[in-house]
């Protein structure tokens, strides 16, 4: 979408900055290191700023202190083409509130909100998703399949795909995939 006169285009992605929709969070990444990172590698890997610390410490040949949990991962194996991607959840916070979680191809929105005073989704409307009011959906999250729908236009609210996504989502909080989501 277009972010007004002073913004750019995020293409097919929903909304823009100040939201936890893909148009406000997703950015392309480019890495260059002649002799180490091969040119032309394209990966579906999702990276976050939390990965910078973990990756930099690994590149320096150091170890992170083991007395805490890190949300980041070492992206070096992906950057060098040793692996295509590293599966892990991505947490979408707005302030201190967990708004959404991405696991694999699925993204579950626990809260939806575009903004009450300024439209961060100009010209974009998805029923029950782009709301001016903050809406709590934690008991019945809205799910999108980002592989098929990166623009978050078509909600998955029931059926086998919804059950699959919710099983992945719930496993994050039951300890079957680690200590994720703890703040």
């Amino acid at each position: 979408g277009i972010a007004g006169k002073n913004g750019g285009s995020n293409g097919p992605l929903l909304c823009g900055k100040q939201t936890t929709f893909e148009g406000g969070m997703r950015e392309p990444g480019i890495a260059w290191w002649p002799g180490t990172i091969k040119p032309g590698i394209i990966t579906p890997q999702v990276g976050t700023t939390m990965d910078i610390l973990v990756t930099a410490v690994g590149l320096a040949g150091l170890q992170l202190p083991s007395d805490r949990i890190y949300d980041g991962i070492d992206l070096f194996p992906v950057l060098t083409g040793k692996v295509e991607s590293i599966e892990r959840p991505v947490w979408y916070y707005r302030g201190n509130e967990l708004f959404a979680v991405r696991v694999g191809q699925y993204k579950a929105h626990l809260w939806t909100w575009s903004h009450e005073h300024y439209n961060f989704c100009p010209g974009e409307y998805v029923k029950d998703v782009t709301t001016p009011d903050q809406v709590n959906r934690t008991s019945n999250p809205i799910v999108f399949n980002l592989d098929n729908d990166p623009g978050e236009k078509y909600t998955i609210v029931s059926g086998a795909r919804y059950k699959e996504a919710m099983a992945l989502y719930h496993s994050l909080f039951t300890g079957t995939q680690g200590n994720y989501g703890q703040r």
Side-chain angles (χ1 to χ4, degrees):
I2 303 295
K5 290 196 274 186
N6 298 319
S9 171
N10 57 16
L13 305 178
L14 184 61
C15 297
K17 294 298 177 197
Q18 301 292 322
T19 73
T20 55
F21 298 110
E22 291 299 288
M25 303 301 262
R26 192 183 285 203
E27 299 285 339
I30 299 173
W32 180 73
W33 187 353
T36 302
I37 299 175
K38 296 176 186 143
I41 292 177
I42 298 174
T43 175
Q45 180 65 52
V46 176
T48 73
T49 55
M50 293 178 285
D51 300 329
I52 295 170
L53 170 69
V54 180
T55 303
V57 168
L59 288 173
L62 303 173
Q63 298 234 337
L64 292 165
S66 60
D67 63 342
R68 64 202 76 182
I69 297 169
Y70 297 92
D71 289 330
I73 60 172
D74 184 351
L75 293 175
F76 190 67
V78 177
L79 295 173
T80 56
K82 290 186 172 100
V83 298
E84 184 181 47
S85 65
I86 301 168
E87 192 63 40
R88 57 81 181 271
V90 176
W91 309 96
Y92 295 77
Y93 279 88
R94 184 171 174 81
N96 290 325
E97 191 70 52
L98 179 62
F99 263 54
V101 178
R102 179 177 179 168
V103 185
Q105 66 196 19
Y106 295 112
K107 182 175 177 187
H109 283 272
L110 311 175
W111 292 84
T112 54
W113 184 51
S114 51
H115 199 277
E116 62 185 297
H117 300 297
Y118 181 80
N119 184 4
F120 289 107
C121 305
E124 299 178 280
Y125 173 75
V126 178
K127 186 178 185 314
D128 296 326
V129 176
T130 52
T131 57
D133 300 313
Q134 187 169 322
V135 179
N136 183 342
R137 302 183 186 285
T138 54
S139 63
N140 193 24
I142 292 176
V143 174
F144 295 95
N145 180 328
L146 296 180
D147 284 355
N148 299 332
D149 179 24
E152 297 173 290
K153 306 279 192 266
Y154 307 100
T155 58
I156 301 170
V157 294
S158 63
R161 291 185 307 160
Y162 188 81
K163 289 177 184 174
E164 177 185 356
M166 287 296 91
L168 288 169
Y169 165 74
H170 288 298
S171 73
L172 298 174
F173 298 98
T174 59
T176 59
Q177 291 201 10
N179 295 313
Y180 298 115
Q182 297 178 7
R183 282 255 203 212

